[in-house]
Amino acid sequence: MSAATTSQHKGSVNYLNCDYSLKSWLTTLDHKRIGLLYLIAILIFFLIGGSMALMIRYELLTPEGDFLMSDTYNKTFTMHGVALIFFFLIPSIPAVLGNFLLPLMLGAKDVAFPRLNLLSWYVFMAGATLGTIALVAGGVDTGWTFYTPLSSTFAHGAVVLAVSAAFVAGFSSIMTGVNFIVTIHMMRAPGLTWSRLPLFVWAHYATSLIQVLGTPVIAITLFLVGVERAIGIGIFDPKLGGDPVLFQHLFWFYSHPAVYIMILPGMGVISEVIACFARRRIFGYDFVAYSSLAIAVLGFFVWGHHMFVSGQSMYAGMVFSVITFLVAIPSAVKIFNWTATLYKGSIHLTAPMLFALSFMGLFTIGGLTGLFLASMAVDIHLHDTYFVVAHFHYVMVGGQIIAFLAGLHFWWPKMTGRMYPEGLGKLSALVTFIGFNLTFMPQFILGYMGMPRRYHSYPEEWQVLHVLSSAGASVLAAGFLLTIGYLIWSLWYGEKASANPWGAKGLEWQVPSPPPTENFEGKPIVKEEAYHYSPELHEEEKEYEHV
Amino acid sequence: MNGIPFFPEQASKAAHEVDLIYYLLTALTIFFSLAVFAGVLYFVIKYRAGSKVDRHHPPSHNMKLELAWSVIPLFMSLAVFGWSAKLFVEMQKPIPSRDALEVIVIGKQWMWHLQHPTGQRENNTLHIPVGRPVKLTMISQDVLHSFYIPAFRIKMDVIPGRYTTMWFEATKTGTYHLFCAEFCGTKHAEMIGSVVVLTPEEYEQWLKDNQWGMQSQQRIETMAEQGAKLFTRLGCNGCHAPGSEGGPPLAGMYGTQRALTDGRFVTADDNYIRDSILEPQKMVLSGYEDKFMPTSPGIEEQQILQLIAYIRSLKEMPAAAAPINRNEAEG
Amino acid sequence: MMTEHKMPDIKTYVIVFLALVGLTFFTVYSALNWHVKLGPLDLNIILAIAIACTKAGLVIAYFMNLKNSSKLAKTWAGAGLFFLLIMFVFGLSDFVSRWFTVEGW
Amino acid sequence: MSEAHVSDTHLPVAHQFEDEEQQFQSYSLGMWVFLAQELLFFGGLFTAFIVYRHMYFDAFVAAHHKLDWKLGGLNTLILLTSSLTMALGVRTAILNNYKATIGWLLATCALAFGFMGVKYVEYSSKIAHNLWPAGDFVFKQEGIDAGGAQIFYGLYFTMTGLHGLHVLVGILIMGWLVFRIYFKRKEVVDYIPIELTGLYWHFVDLVWIFLFPLLYLIG
């Protein structure tokens, strides 16, 4: 990041060009720089996980397992899961956009505990290094879920390394959560009451609640698996009478709320982007804000829907199923509110807006297919099939990654002082949308046909659908690589960005881009409500020169 | 099935109703997705930047509308939940074992071993009659597996250390896929097989053709007969033979409520018998506190299942039937 | 600016400490000597957990000074307990209800 | 009951905070959120313990008879006393009396070492009776299945081991605090890290308050 960027008046010092030394970057306490450090780290793991995805899709072109040996294939999809979930999806929006923007949106100089923030990055890198060593040392063939007794006694990969990688990365997530909770409570500018907070901040508060209260449970579960495998203390070992279903309970107690850690910040980004490019206050602000909290809390009651056919008792299954249906309601409320926000707005179809609209479409499909898996009778047929794979990719890739791209494009000028190329941005949004649907829509059909997950070979009558899906995967990969390409290109050759290229409301747009290290000169005072746009006033159009 | 395969066969009683719920949910998904898509498209076109259109005082909230689109989806969800929970209970409810064909399934890393009550053993294939409920009692010898037949819309995990059961009733003859749905290691993708549904006559014929032992040319013993042999070989009859007070009598005890020393009541099902064989002291019957039952180390899952079959057959005490020679029967 | 910081005085600390030690002796005594059984339920377990909860309450309120801490600290302490109870109740619901047979549906 | 301690001294305020009150409230809230997370961390182990106790009732009762409740009780008293000394140390820190604070902190460290000593005695005697739950675990007793007992000792060593690890971390932090106060005795005693360590130490004592009856007494 050695871009010499100057905002309007020449030679102004900002957080990027104030010090170029490596030491200043590696010992920075500035939340903005830590956000960029996280961005670089998760980009590496996005590429690792993405290449694994392409290998899987390439293998599944043919019914027989002829591209990879079955062991290598199992290690590939396991590392695809571990790399992308623990080292990309969970940290991506909170640690990159959240770290960069929360203090700016709250009018604060920095997060509450800057040193803890830097420590969370180093703990993340320690976890990442352990993960890479596990990959290099032969990989793990247990699936990212580490189900015992396969992971604790029968698997012969580097399970202890992979488990400790996820264990360490979990603490980085906890530190970020603690930091954000205290920052949002304690560091708000005068006048910035909870009902005036941007919805991005609401979403991060709900996410931090899950990060702090969910992650320790997977830490202790993975600790037990590691202890069982390394020392032989058989907690889950069936020969001693240990119950593998107990492991599933403890694992999913965290891992379902974890999917809400991934999607809630995405929803926060979408609220910001839609409000800005529809020039309108979000419809039903209170409902959208409280639905974030409702999702976070209800998310802890539903983990049993992963275990309807795992020997869990029928009565417990029914309780989990009905609450899973309840947790779908707040998500539906958000989608309806975003749609209603477009009414009587003045809509600018910029690249972030295109990503946001495709998020709305894909997340609606992703969320509703979740109801298939929540209804117990249908889940008996669909559990552990490609229907589940399609469902969670619709929510995680179609939802979270596309929301992350929307946020990245929306705040790129603020983060780097450079504009991304608008035309390529729109193209990449289109290519990603088409490639994604082509990849995962056929997998719904495959799922209902009964194609099980994590299969290296399959009956040949399904080959057509797999070929379609693999074709889509390459288009999706092209879309992502195009985005990475022009974003990096824009660091040097992108157009200089003004302080507020989109004419957006919000404290982060009142500081120059890229912002100075101490964010605000004086202490900003907030007098008006969030998203104070007025679309009917036409004179507002002229100062917004970019679209 | 040329062209793009779109829908799996419906070959079991439950399959039809599962598909109905699936159609309903697909319809709901398409409806809501189209509604959102149409709404977004309409608004984006009508209110695009620069279009001359009335944008005065856009509504910031509308309690009636927001409550409506929260409560209506809530009721729709609960309706779908109710229907699918009812169906789930029907699919899981244990069927009276009188008319069910009870097959045992043993999953081990990367193959399925199945055994019919009449002694026939199969690997990775299961021959069953159409129109008759089939009950599977399943256990794994190593890691988690999952017995999955897409055409019957039925699946159940196979757990090491505990029996899980599932039942279904085939309605169409033919050969259907059998998969392992829970990741179980290197050859998880090769742990597949097929379920062959025969007409009752074909099934009887199949039983007859396979009732002779490979080498011994004698009629193979049924599960209960093998259980009886084991019962004596392991010395169980020392205490559990009728009349001896060394251990509780076993005739007709299957399925009854057993009072334990600490006052708890447990139904004597397969799991109870298996636990009592492997860890005798885990659940001690009241009145037998001072009695000691030896464990039998190294006993295989198959043998336990044979003992269970024998104990269940103990309505009255049949003498162990002598094996009949093949050529006598066919002579 | 004066930091007004309410801390219990020494007398309170010693009283709470003695209460804790007393409860410890009581729980040990009751566990070893009383064996009251109510059907399958062992009343000792409930008594021991009740005593442990009161000791925990004393430590949290006085030693950790939650009584005088901010409302936020109290909510987050409560949140931790609430989600712990969710894990216990929903986790156990499966293991307890496994033996319910379905005759009565 | 409680007297208000108005300290006329001022602590340095970190750059990102506005005033001392916001700084203290932030650190206090951050610590309580961290302790809520620790509660869930041990909560996972307690869930496993409750579930296995429900499944292996007799084995757990038989296995816990081999634990020495006298050592467990002694450890409980040690930890309760260390909680008292810690609380008094925090109080003197706020009153800016660095000598007394160092005294109380060292007392707490000594008690913590005592706790670890008793734990060492306990562990070595268990391992001597080869009750270590891996490999050569031997639990021959009429009518008790060894699997359940081995799981009990698996949970016993994991829970008390993890708790012991937290006690060790507490000792290290207190040692660092003593050095820090001593070298900065000229300035105002920075009571915030001491109060946070106090909260952490009381939490560790809290976990033991639940571990002691569940493992040593019940049954």
Side-chain angles (χ1 to χ4, degrees), chain D residues 11-218:
Chain D
L11 283 178
V13 178
H15 85 283
Q16 73 271 17
F17 293 119
E18 293 313 309
D19 54 36
E20 223 177 311
E21 186 54 26
Q22 184 192 24
Q23 172 170 289
F24 173 71
Q25 292 298 349
S26 300
Y27 280 113
S28 163
L29 175 62
M31 197 58 195
W32 276 100
V33 171
F34 171 72
L35 292 182
Q37 171 262 331
E38 280 275 353
L39 186 65
L40 264 297
F41 186 69
F42 280 98
L45 279 175
F46 279 104
T47 315
F49 183 82
I50 294 170
V51 163
Y52 278 134
R53 189 183 163 75
H54 170 73
M55 286 163 76
Y56 297 104
F57 197 77
D58 305 331
F60 269 43
V61 168
H64 110 275
H65 283 313
K66 286 238 164 69
L67 291 180
D68 180 353
W69 63 269
K70 285 188 275 305
L71 287 178
L74 174 63
N75 262 348
T76 313
L77 294 182
I78 291 175
L79 267 192
L80 287 178
T81 335
S82 70
S83 247
L84 176 67
T85 53
M86 189 69 199
L88 295 174
V90 167
R91 197 179 146 279
T92 52
I94 291 175
L95 293 175
N96 197 16
N97 170 352
Y98 82 93
K99 277 206 191 57
T101 311
I102 291 182
W104 287 121
L105 283 179
L106 289 179
T108 315
C109 274
L111 286 164
F113 272 113
F115 176 86
M116 293 310 286
V118 170
K119 187 153 275 324
Y120 175 77
V121 165
E122 242 187 296
Y123 274 7
S124 44
S125 82
K126 294 289 165 303
I127 293 169
H129 296 90
N130 41 46
L131 287 175
W132 174 254
D136 55 5
F137 178 81
V138 168
F139 192 91
K140 276 281 168 293
Q141 190 176 351
E142 284 316 313
I144 292 301
D145 80 79
Q150 186 156 356
I151 287 183
F152 175 83
Y153 278 95
L155 282 171
Y156 165 75
F157 277 105
T158 317
M159 291 165 107
T160 47
L162 208 59
H163 177 266
L165 198 67
H166 280 72
V167 168
L168 273 182
V169 166
I171 294 173
L172 294 178
I173 296 174
M174 280 186 269
W176 169 69
L177 278 182
V178 165
F179 276 108
R180 193 160 170 272
I181 301 168
Y182 183 72
F183 286 128
K184 297 166 80 173
R185 61 187 179 282
K186 298 288 180 300
E187 306 147 30
V188 171
V189 173
D190 183 359
Y191 62 83
I192 287 186
I194 298 166
E195 178 138 10
L196 299 188
T197 313
L199 287 178
Y200 169 79
W201 191 251
H202 295 310
F203 174 80
V204 166
D205 178 23
L206 213 57
V207 172
W208 182 261
I209 283 174
F210 279 98
L211 270 181
F212 174 57
L214 278 182
L215 287 174
Y216 289 83
L217 295 183
I218 287 181

Side-chain angles (χ1 to χ4, degrees), chain A residues 181 185 205 209 213 217 243 245-246 249 253 300-301 303 311-316 318-320 323, chain C residues 70 72 76 79-80 82-84 86-87 90-91 93-95 97-105:
Chain A
I181 288 169
H185 270 300
Y205 187 76
L209 179 135
L213 295 177
V217 178
D243 188 353
V245 180
L246 173 65
H249 273 293
F253 178 82
F300 275 93
F301 288 81
W303 77 82
Q312 175 184 249
S313 93
M314 188 165 55
Y315 295 86
M318 277 193 243
V319 171
F320 286 123
I323 299 175
Chain C
S70 64
L72 275 177
W76 274 94
F82 174 67
F83 285 103
L84 183 69
I86 292 173
M87 182 159 62
F90 278 77
S93 71
D94 170 28
F95 292 95
S97 68
R98 245 173 225 178
W99 311 113
F100 294 178
T101 50
V102 81
E103 272 79 17
W105 174 170

Side-chain angles (χ1 to χ4, degrees), chain B residues 279 281-282 292, chain D residues 55 58 142-143:
Chain B
E279 299 145 22
Q281 271 61 42
K282 185 171 172 189
F292 168 71
Chain D
M55 286 163 76
D58 305 331
E142 284 316 313

Side-chain angles (χ1 to χ4, degrees), chain A residues 194 261 397 513:
Chain A
W194 279 89
I261 293 178
V397 179
S513 22

Side-chain angles (χ1 to χ4, degrees), chain A residues 242-260:
Chain A
D243 188 353
V245 180
L246 173 65
F247 169 84
Q248 291 174 28
H249 273 293
L250 289 172
F251 178 82
W252 288 113
F253 178 82
Y254 162 73
S255 296
H256 188 78
V259 306
Y260 295 116

Side-chain angles (χ1 to χ4, degrees), chain A residues 171-233:
Chain A
F171 284 102
S172 148
S173 180
I174 289 170
M175 291 172 193
T176 313
V178 169
N179 225 328
F180 284 176
I181 288 169
V182 179
T183 308
I184 297 173
H185 270 300
M186 290 297 175
M187 315 280 286
R188 280 172 284 137
L192 193 52
T193 62
W194 279 89
S195 60
R196 288 183 177 162
L197 278 178
L199 287 167
F200 184 85
V201 176
W202 273 95
H204 272 83
Y205 187 76
T207 313
S208 307
L209 179 135
I210 309 174
Q211 279 178 319
V212 163
L213 295 177
T215 318
V217 178
I218 194 168
I220 191 67
T221 316
L222 296 182
F223 175 82
L224 288 178
V225 169
V227 156
E228 181 163 339
R229 192 171 167 85
I231 305 172
I233 298 180

Side-chain angles (χ1 to χ4, degrees), chain A residues 8-307:
Chain A
Q8 291 81 346
H9 34 281
K10 283 286 165 288
S12 80
V13 177
N14 56 56
Y15 82 102
L16 283 175
N17 60 16
C18 58
D19 187 340
Y20 288 120
S21 71
L22 187 62
K23 192 171 97 44
S24 76
W25 275 93
L26 291 183
T27 58
T28 176
L29 292 182
D30 178 4
H31 63 99
K32 299 183 281 302
R33 286 194 162 202
I34 293 174
L36 293 186
L37 288 176
Y38 263 111
L39 180 61
I40 298 162
I42 65 169
L43 176 65
I44 298 165
F45 273 90
F46 178 74
L47 295 175
I48 292 175
S51 56
M52 302 274 178
L54 286 178
M55 284 164 63
I56 294 169
R57 277 315 330 161
Y58 187 68
E59 161 65 74
L60 289 176
L61 275 174
T62 57
E64 312 81 23
D66 42 22
F67 172 57
L68 300 169
M69 288 188 342
S70 40
D71 228 9
T72 330
Y73 178 79
N74 296 340
K75 288 174 180 167
T76 309
F77 73 69
T78 302
M79 200 40 74
H80 171 70
V82 169
L84 281 180
I85 287 175
F86 291 112
F87 297 110
F88 175 74
L89 285 172
I90 288 185
S92 63
I93 297 185
V96 175
L97 298 179
N99 257 332
F100 191 93
L101 290 163
L102 272 188
L104 287 172
M105 285 185 171
L106 298 172
K109 286 202 264 298
D110 203 325
V111 280
F113 311 119
R115 284 177 303 213
L116 184 68
N117 209 4
L118 183 62
L119 177 64
S120 87
W121 185 75
Y122 276 101
V123 166
F124 178 80
M125 291 314 287
T129 326
L130 277 173
T132 324
I133 296 169
L135 174 65
V136 166
V140 182
D141 65 345
T142 60
W144 79 277
T145 44
F146 299 112
Y147 268 18
T148 62
L150 175 64
S151 63
S152 51
T153 37
F154 286 87
H156 35 67
V159 174
V160 175
L161 271 173
V163 154
S164 40
F167 177 81
V168 167
F171 284 102
S172 148
S173 180
I174 289 170
M175 291 172 193
T176 313
V178 169
N179 225 328
F180 284 176
I181 288 169
V182 179
T183 308
I184 297 173
H185 270 300
M186 290 297 175
M187 315 280 286
R188 280 172 284 137
L192 193 52
T193 62
W194 279 89
S195 60
R196 288 183 177 162
L197 278 178
L199 287 167
F200 184 85
V201 176
W202 273 95
H204 272 83
Y205 187 76
T207 313
S208 307
L209 179 135
I210 309 174
Q211 279 178 319
V212 163
L213 295 177
T215 318
V217 178
I218 194 168
I220 191 67
T221 316
L222 296 182
F223 175 82
L224 288 178
V225 169
V227 156
E228 181 163 339
R229 192 171 167 85
I231 305 172
I233 298 180
I235 305 283
F236 301 117
D237 182 0
K239 279 191 287 301
L240 297 180
D243 188 353
V245 180
L246 173 65
F247 169 84
Q248 291 174 28
H249 273 293
L250 289 172
F251 178 82
W252 288 113
F253 178 82
Y254 162 73
S255 296
H256 188 78
V259 306
Y260 295 116
I261 293 178
M262 299 172 201
I263 199 67
L264 275 171
M267 291 174 171
V269 166
I270 297 303
S271 295
E272 297 294 318
V273 168
I274 287 188
C276 166
F277 292 111
R279 322 302 287 157
R280 262 215 46 210
R281 177 173 162 76
I282 289 285
F283 180 85
Y285 171 95
D286 299 334
F287 264 72
V288 175
Y290 292 127
S291 66
S292 289
L293 285 182
I295 290 175
V297 173
L298 278 178
F300 275 93
F301 288 81
V302 295
W303 77 82
H305 58 232
H306 296 275
M307 300 156 60

